[in-house]
Amino acid sequence: MDVIVLELLEVFGPGSWVKISEQLKTKTPKQIHARWRDYLRKDISGKPWSFQELARLAELHKQFGNQWSYLSYLMPGRSPNSIKNQVNAARRKRRVSVEHQMLWGYLRNEECKQHGAGNDERVLLEGIQEESAVKDT
C-alpha cells in the first residue's frame, strides 16, 4: 500500500489527499495524510534510534516536556509521532534495560558503572549531566 501511495504522490503531489484516496478507495484522505506525515516523507528516518538520539531525546524531553512538534524540529529526521511513541515506550517499560535507565535518569553514574554500562555510554551520560548542570546555573 505504501508503494502505491508514494507512486500516487509523485503523480498528484503532497496535499492531494482526496485525489489519492479516490484512487485507492480503501483509505480516507486523513489516513493517507497521516501515513505520509508520520512515515513516508523523505525527510523522516525509519532507522532504529541510536543511543545518541535517545540521549538527546531524553534531555530535550526533560527540558521541553511533551511538545512533540518542537522536539521534532530540534531532532531533524524524526516525526513528532515517532518522538511521542519513543517517550511513551520508555515510560511504559516496567523492566527497562540499563541503557534505558541511564537515559531516562533512573540510575546515577556510579550505578551505571556497577551494572557494567559501556565506557561510551558512561562518557555520553556524563556529558549530558554536565550540560544539564550548566543549564541549571
Side-chain angles (χ1 to χ4, degrees):
M1 181 66 73
D2 287 346
V3 174
I4 297 169
V5 171
L6 289 171
E7 288 173 357
L8 291 170
L9 277 167
E10 288 198 21
V11 173
F12 297 111
S16 302
W17 313 119
V18 173
K19 290 178 184 176
I20 294 171
S21 73
E22 288 170 352
Q23 297 292 316
L24 291 177
K25 296 183 170 89
T26 58
K27 301 289 181 193
T28 67
K30 186 175 181 179
Q31 289 172 317
I32 296 166
H33 176 253
R35 182 73 182 165
W36 173 80
R37 179 192 64 220
D38 295 333
Y39 300 100
L40 300 178
R41 282 188 359 223
K42 291 179 182 175
D43 62 329
I44 298 295
S45 172
K47 296 178 185 175
W49 287 72
S50 69
F51 183 85
Q52 288 78 9
E53 284 181 305
L54 291 171
R56 180 160 166 73
L57 177 58
E59 185 60 33
L60 290 171
H61 185 259
K62 186 190 314 181
Q63 186 175 1
F64 298 109
N66 296 343
Q67 297 180 35
W68 311 125
S69 293
Y70 188 63
L71 294 175
S72 176
Y73 170 76
L74 296 174
M75 296 189 72
R78 297 297 181 177
S79 72
N81 192 54
S82 174
I83 290 172
K84 177 187 65 148
N85 290 344
Q86 191 65 41
V87 170
N88 288 336
R91 288 178 178 158
R92 277 193 310 272
K93 289 187 178 191
R94 285 180 161 188
R95 299 182 73 193
V96 293
S97 68
V98 171
E99 179 180 280
H100 245 78
Q101 291 173 13
M102 286 169 43
L103 290 173
W104 296 98
Y106 297 119
L107 297 177
R108 293 187 310 272
N109 195 30
E110 301 78 40
E111 293 170 316
C112 293
K113 291 176 187 174
Q114 290 174 350
H115 289 281
N119 191 45
D120 290 343
E121 288 94 353
R122 281 198 300 269
V123 168
L124 181 60
L125 181 63
E126 289 168 359
I128 291 168
Q129 289 171 340
E130 288 171 8
E131 286 178 19
S132 181
V134 169
K135 289 177 186 173
D136 292 340
T137 57

